[in-house]
Amino acid sequence: MKIKTILSIDTSCDETAAAVTCGRCVLSNVVYSQIKTHQPWGGVVPNLARREHQKKIGPVIEKALKQAKVNWPDIQTIAATQGPGLSIALGIGIKKAKELSQKYNKPLLAINHMEGHFLSPLALDNKGQGPINKIKFPVLGLLVSGGHTQLVLMKKIGKYRLLGQTLDDAAGEAFDKVAKMLDLGYPGGPVISKLAPQGNPLKYDLPIPMARNQSLNFSFSGLKTACLYKLKKIPDKQKNKRFLQDFSASFQRVLVHSIILKLQLAIRKHPFKQVFLGGGVINNQHLVNEVKKTAKINKIQVFLPYSQELLTDNAAMIGIAAFYKAQRKEFVKNIDELDRKPNLCFS
Amino acid sequence: MEVRKTIATNSPQETQQLAQKLIAKHLDELKSKCLIFALEGELGSGKTQFVKGLGKALKIKQTIRSPTFTLVHEHPFGYPASPKGMFYHVDAWRLSYPQEFLDLRLDKMIQPGNVITIEWADKAKSTLEKVTKGKKVKIIKLKFSHLNPKQRKIKITNED
């Protein structure tokens, strides 16, 4: 029997997420975020972690089934994120998946959260529409989120090589921390992205991280510290809206530039024809525009998921990775032995 | 017994080397205790660099990155202890209340042979005192501050 309909669960960090997919079609994609809707210029409380997941996991799964208009007999397998992520959060999702697998007698799949981000552009909407007609291997994955910044090469689906990653802060983290220095609240990264288009990106001179480094690794903590020193020199009374726009634009320009330098280096070192973008920071329009410019010059196709909801943490992307894993019949053999892998990585 | 010391480092590399030297002095204690490094200091003051140094000393091959987003990173290590210990890299920057710290199950991490590093430990002071009370731990407190763009001042306090 070919596995098609999958219930997926992701509890890797702040989000409690469940989704139902049929093949590559997303039938439902439900996310309960522990970070309350962002209020610009206000404090936001990241309400941690275990208790919230425990409370929300059941209702989120129910909602995913209901929105997809499926019942338990329709579900053929259950998938859960095994890592990477926060151990106690991952544990909740895995425990729930095990319970449901035993209760309804469904096979189980353990998924790498980052493979989910990588394969998210392969998701199709409920009409079966998606951005990709044909995959041309090898594919480069540029995965940029709050917790990760990675360049990954996919030789075929299920076969990956980590080419480079951040050595310190993730790009999304740098956005949030610089936002904090600008008193933009938490998570302030999206506020910077909103302010930047109105600002002058050349107003403040900041160092481009890892510009002369020939590896495919990233580093953003030096940029963060450079921002701190730059800001210390500017008197508070000058920190008006115009200033916020200019500083946001300058910071964003430099951070994106450093990612583009690594993308160009990856193109030279590991020729590929397609690049898939995944992770929450891909919501940053300047980053996507610059990636597209570089790709066009090098005759490379760029693909993003069909919806922004597949960029930030979600379970539908887990369903896509699970669909391929089911085709390869890589089910969990011994459910009792399945455990979280908080530091799971591409080999 | 309390020992206080203040050191200036001139580069991220020197901050890493300081960490390597410091943990080397306490490796013997890992046999019977859990080593806890409680780090305080503002953004960009060298905390993650220090943790990278600890990782080097424990011969951890994985890249030690900032755990701000995930809150905890776990790295198993085999040096010098056998069987393996666990290196927990905790970051309280995103936490709003000290109680949230309990949710991270710090109590379970505190085992002889394990090393726990906490960035932004000042945000969880009271909780840290509570969960370590009566346990076999060695707590080393470090306060990081900026001297200038390159130099960092690091104040070390050892407690039993």
Side-chain angles (χ1 to χ4, degrees):
Chain A
M1 182 185 67
K2 205 172 172 188
I3 295 281
K4 285 186 120 177
T5 309
I6 301 175
L7 170 77
S8 301
I9 299 168
D10 183 87
T11 55
S12 57
C13 196
D14 292 334
E15 268 71 55
T16 316
V20 178
T21 47
C22 180
R24 288 194 284 132
C25 288
V26 178
L27 303 183
S28 67
N29 188 18
V30 179
V31 178
Y32 174 81
S33 177
Q34 320 238 348
I35 306 277
K36 305 262 161 53
T37 320
H38 178 70
Q39 309 148 1
W41 285 269
V44 179
V45 182
N47 200 350
L48 204 110
R50 192 165 48 106
R51 259 171 307 165
E52 285 295 302
H53 281 303
Q54 248 157 6
K55 236 191 302 182
K56 294 296 170 198
I57 186 86
V60 164
I61 290 170
E62 287 306 314
K63 201 170 167 190
L65 292 169
K66 204 172 158 195
Q67 278 187 6
K69 298 193 179 74
V70 298
N71 295 308
W72 276 108
D74 306 316
I75 299 291
Q76 291 167 296
T77 185
I78 296 168
T81 295
Q82 187 175 28
L86 176 63
S87 178
I88 50 169
L90 290 165
I92 306 280
I94 290 175
K95 186 166 166 254
K96 192 73 186 175
K98 283 182 180 180
E99 273 169 31
L100 294 171
S101 156
Q102 274 156 348
K103 183 173 173 190
Y104 296 104
N105 194 26
K106 313 279 184 191
L108 201 56
L109 292 156
I111 306 297
N112 177 341
H113 180 81
M114 295 310 291
E115 185 183 9
H117 276 306
F118 196 146
L119 300 183
S120 61
L122 288 165
L124 308 174
D125 65 17
N126 56 12
K127 294 185 193 76
Q129 305 287 315
I132 300 169
N133 282 326
K134 192 178 188 303
I135 310 177
K136 292 174 191 162
F137 295 105
V139 178
L140 183 86
L142 173 59
L143 314 179
V144 194
S145 68
H148 297 273
T149 308
Q150 298 185 334
L151 284 168
V152 186
L153 200 65
M154 172 165 72
K155 283 166 214 148
K156 59 179 188 181
I157 290 179
K159 198 116 181 88
Y160 305 93
R161 199 175 128 207
L162 180 67
L163 300 179
Q165 65 169 333
T166 182
L167 300 175
D168 38 59
D169 299 5
E173 179 185 341
F175 265 95
D176 284 337
K177 286 191 168 164
V178 171
K180 184 88 175 175
M181 294 175 199
L182 295 169
D183 281 326
L184 299 175
Y186 181 87
V191 183
I192 290 192
S193 300
K194 258 190 216 131
L195 289 167
Q198 281 88 46
N200 171 8
L202 298 170
K203 173 91 186 191
Y204 295 99
D205 188 25
L206 295 161
I208 297 159
M210 302 286 270
R212 281 188 298 269
N213 180 294
Q214 287 302 301
S215 79
L216 290 171
N217 291 325
F218 303 90
S219 166
F220 299 109
S221 75
L223 174 59
K224 172 184 73 184
T225 310
C227 286
L228 184 80
Y229 280 100
K230 198 62 105 185
L231 289 169
K232 275 185 178 169
K233 283 188 202 145
I234 298 164
D236 277 350
K237 61 172 194 255
Q238 279 177 30
K239 291 180 180 167
N240 53 21
K241 187 157 190 191
R242 180 81 229 166
F243 154 80
L244 288 175
Q245 290 166 340
D246 289 342
F247 200 88
S248 295
S250 302
F251 163 74
Q252 178 182 272
R253 172 183 63 86
V254 167
L255 184 138
V256 167
H257 191 108
S258 85
I259 293 177
I260 296 301
L261 286 178
K262 295 302 175 181
L263 178 63
Q264 289 167 338
L265 197 57
I267 291 168
R268 287 204 297 275
K269 284 186 169 181
H270 307 273
F272 52 88
K273 287 272 181 281
Q274 294 181 333
V275 56
F276 289 7
L277 306 183
V281 180
I282 301 301
N283 276 311
N284 183 288
Q285 205 50 53
H286 179 61
L287 173 59
V288 174
N289 291 344
E290 291 301 309
V291 168
K292 283 183 174 166
K293 263 191 229 165
T294 300
K296 197 173 174 192
I297 294 165
N298 291 282
K299 297 190 174 66
I300 288 165
Q301 292 175 295
V302 181
F303 295 111
L304 283 81
Y306 72 80
S307 158
Q308 289 191 336
E309 286 165 18
L310 285 140
L311 285 173
T312 41
D313 286 353
N314 68 91
M317 66 180 195
I318 302 303
I320 304 306
F323 166 70
Y324 289 104
K325 217 164 178 179
Q327 285 188 333
R328 301 195 302 271
K329 300 194 175 14
E330 292 173 13
F331 294 96
V332 174
K333 288 196 183 80
N334 186 340
I335 286 184
D336 292 328
E337 280 174 19
L338 176 67
D339 201 4
R340 54 200 129 177
K341 288 186 179 164
N343 56 5
L344 184 62
C345 195
F346 290 110
S347 52
Chain B
M1 186 187 68
E2 232 183 45
V3 188
R4 284 172 193 271
K5 195 155 65 166
T6 303
I7 292 170
T9 62
N10 296 301
S11 65
Q13 289 71 31
E14 277 191 35
T15 303
Q16 289 192 19
Q17 284 159 9
L18 171 72
Q20 286 173 274
K21 269 189 221 157
L22 191 63
I23 194 171
K25 284 188 218 160
H26 296 286
L27 281 178
D28 269 354
E29 289 173 87
L30 265 182
K31 282 175 199 150
S32 58
K33 282 179 186 170
C34 174
L35 271 184
I36 300 178
F37 292 88
L39 316 186
E40 298 177 17
E42 63 178 317
L43 286 169
S45 61
K47 298 184 296 298
T48 302
Q49 288 302 331
F50 180 88
V51 183
K52 277 178 178 287
L54 296 180
K56 264 187 196 163
L58 295 169
K59 303 201 191 301
I60 291 166
K61 287 204 180 75
Q62 275 180 319
T63 305
I64 306 261
R65 297 176 291 120
S66 163
T68 293
F69 186 76
T70 330
L71 307 171
V72 185
H73 282 165
E74 302 177 12
H75 304 278
F77 66 93
Y79 174 85
S82 174
K84 280 186 173 183
M86 190 65 94
F87 183 74
Y88 292 101
H89 186 186
V90 184
D91 190 319
W93 189 70
R94 296 206 303 144
L95 302 186
S96 310
Y97 308 109
Q99 310 89 278
E100 287 181 308
F101 222 59
L102 287 176
D103 263 0
L104 292 177
R105 300 316 303 267
L106 214 65
D107 51 333
K108 287 206 170 166
M109 299 176 194
I110 300 170
Q111 304 287 344
N114 286 349
V115 178
I116 306 173
T117 306
I118 304 163
E119 297 197 37
W120 302 93
D122 40 328
K123 284 187 136 189
K125 245 179 205 161
S126 55
T127 315
L128 187 62
E129 278 166 24
K130 233 183 275 170
V131 291
T132 52
K133 207 174 173 189
K135 295 218 172 139
K136 289 180 180 162
V137 293
K138 168 89 186 183
I139 303 176
I140 298 158
K141 292 183 182 173
L142 296 110
K143 211 167 206 162
F144 293 72
S145 48
H146 294 263
L147 285 174
N148 61 47
K150 291 259 180 285
Q151 272 194 319
R152 300 290 182 269
K153 187 173 88 180
I154 302 166
K155 198 173 114 191
I156 307 167
T157 316
N158 292 352
E159 282 180 356
D160 273 312

